[in-house]
């Protein structure tokens, strides 16, 4: 039996993954422009681009994406401090038809920043779905402060842009028989990565300075504002288990 995501309020918990230690040789102050060419995951059909200009720890961020589920919340983040790569659909290790957050974590790592439309942008807002875009076509712009760890990750080449939430079965809502690896009461569609791309040094152009502090995108008229009730321990466990599993596989192959 399908289970649809139909909870009217939002009470989302922290997504504060423990961050991996970065090289002390990295400078304390970073700058430059970075770009991401989003590739679809989980059959989402999502495409788009991201641009980030860093001035120390001040980031001006632009995300343009199409092919997302209209009227549904789409969490979006900078993930950091892992391989600086994205999984592919072939990384569905348990064969359930989805690349889950757990399966993607060894590639893109922990949440460094939450690309919310307003308010807090720390990992604590990693699943603050009332403050993420809900349009099928996202046009997001915002300027905010990132942590030093996140700025270091950009400089180290391990920052990754990830968008979440897919309509894998084309039903027009988050539902299905496969349940989320983060919360078994929810459909996997609600939390699965929809698109991903490494953030690499931009060869041409930069994101314009002075993006609106309140960000882009509206949450007005949302029909699927749902409680994705994932606590900090569940999310931290997903990331940590994924990274540890990757390291063990690498050690076994050595």
């Amino acid at each position: 039996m399908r289970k649809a995501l139909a909870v009217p309020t939002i009470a989302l918990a922290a997504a504060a993954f423990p961050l991996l230690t970065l090289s002390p040789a990295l400078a304390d102050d970073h700058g430059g422009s970075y770009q991401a060419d989003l590739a679809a995951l989980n059959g989402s059909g999502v495409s788009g681009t991201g641009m980030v200009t860093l001035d120390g720890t001040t980031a001006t961020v632009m995300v343009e994406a199409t092919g997302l589920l209209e009227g549904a919340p789409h969490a979006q983040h900078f993930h950091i401090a892992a391989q600086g790569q994205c999984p592919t659909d072939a990384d569905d290790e348990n064969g359930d038809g989805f690349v889950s957050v757990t399966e993607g974590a060894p590639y893109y790592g922990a949440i460094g920043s939450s690309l919310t439309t307003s308010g807090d942008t720390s990992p604590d807002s990693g699943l603050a779905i009332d403050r993420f875009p809900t349009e099928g076509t996202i046009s997001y712009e915002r300027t905010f402060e990132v942590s030093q760890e996140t700025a270091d990750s950009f400089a180290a080449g391990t920052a990754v842009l990830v968008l979440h939430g897919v309509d894998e079965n084309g039903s027009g809502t988050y539902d299905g028989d496969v349940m989320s690896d983060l919360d078994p009461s929810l459909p996997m569609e609600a939390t699965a990565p929809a698109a991903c791309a490494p953030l690499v040094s931009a060869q041409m152009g930069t994101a314009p300075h002075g993006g609106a502090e309140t960000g882009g995108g509206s949450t007005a008229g949302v029909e699927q504002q749902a409680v994705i009730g994932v606590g900090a321990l569940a999310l931290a466990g997903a990331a940590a288990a994924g990274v540890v599993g990757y390291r063990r596989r690498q050690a076994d192959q050595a």
Side-chain angles (χ1 to χ4, degrees):
M1 179 182 296
R2 287 182 176 177
K3 295 186 179 180
L5 196 63
V7 184
T9 57
I10 294 166
L12 298 165
F17 297 141
L19 300 179
L20 303 182
T21 302
L22 295 165
S23 170
L26 292 174
D28 290 335
D29 191 25
H30 303 303
S33 296
Y34 301 84
Q35 61 188 27
D37 294 322
L38 291 166
L41 286 170
N42 291 309
S44 68
V46 174
S47 62
T49 58
M51 286 291 296
V52 181
T53 297
L54 272 183
D55 181 4
T57 57
T58 301
T60 296
V61 184
M62 296 172 59
V63 178
E64 302 283 341
T66 62
L68 294 148
L69 179 59
E70 181 72 33
H74 295 283
Q76 51 183 14
H77 313 108
F78 296 148
H79 285 254
I80 64 171
Q83 300 181 62
Q85 300 176 12
C86 293
T88 69
D89 290 346
D91 291 302
D92 174 18
E93 294 184 358
N94 64 4
D96 64 1
F98 290 88
V99 178
S100 67
V101 171
T102 303
E103 290 164 336
Y107 296 93
Y108 50 62
I111 294 175
S113 298
S114 303
L115 309 188
T116 55
T117 57
S118 63
D120 177 59
T121 58
S122 76
D124 291 346
S125 292
L127 285 170
I129 304 302
D130 56 332
R131 294 186 288 113
F132 283 117
T134 59
E135 298 87 355
T137 297
I138 291 175
S139 184
Y140 173 91
E141 181 177 352
R142 191 174 181 194
T143 298
F144 55 86
E145 291 297 309
V146 301
S147 67
Q148 189 62 54
E149 292 89 348
T150 299
D152 289 346
S153 195
F154 273 89
T158 59
V160 178
L161 175 63
V162 184
L163 278 59
H164 298 263
V166 303
D167 182 19
E168 193 265 351
N169 61 15
S171 68
T173 189
Y174 291 154
D175 61 10
D177 297 329
V178 179
M179 310 314 291
S180 172
D181 56 324
L182 302 181
D183 185 337
S185 70
L186 300 172
M188 180 70 80
E189 291 186 345
T191 59
C196 178
L199 283 149
V200 299
S201 293
Q203 299 302 311
M204 296 179 62
T206 61
H209 291 280
E213 175 58 25
T214 55
S218 170
T219 56
V222 178
E223 297 178 357
Q224 295 190 62
Q225 288 192 347
V227 178
I228 300 181
V230 184
L233 290 178
L235 284 167
V243 173
V244 169
Y246 169 78
R247 287 177 170 172
R248 285 175 177 169
R249 289 194 297 274
Q250 293 295 95
D252 291 341
Q253 294 170 5

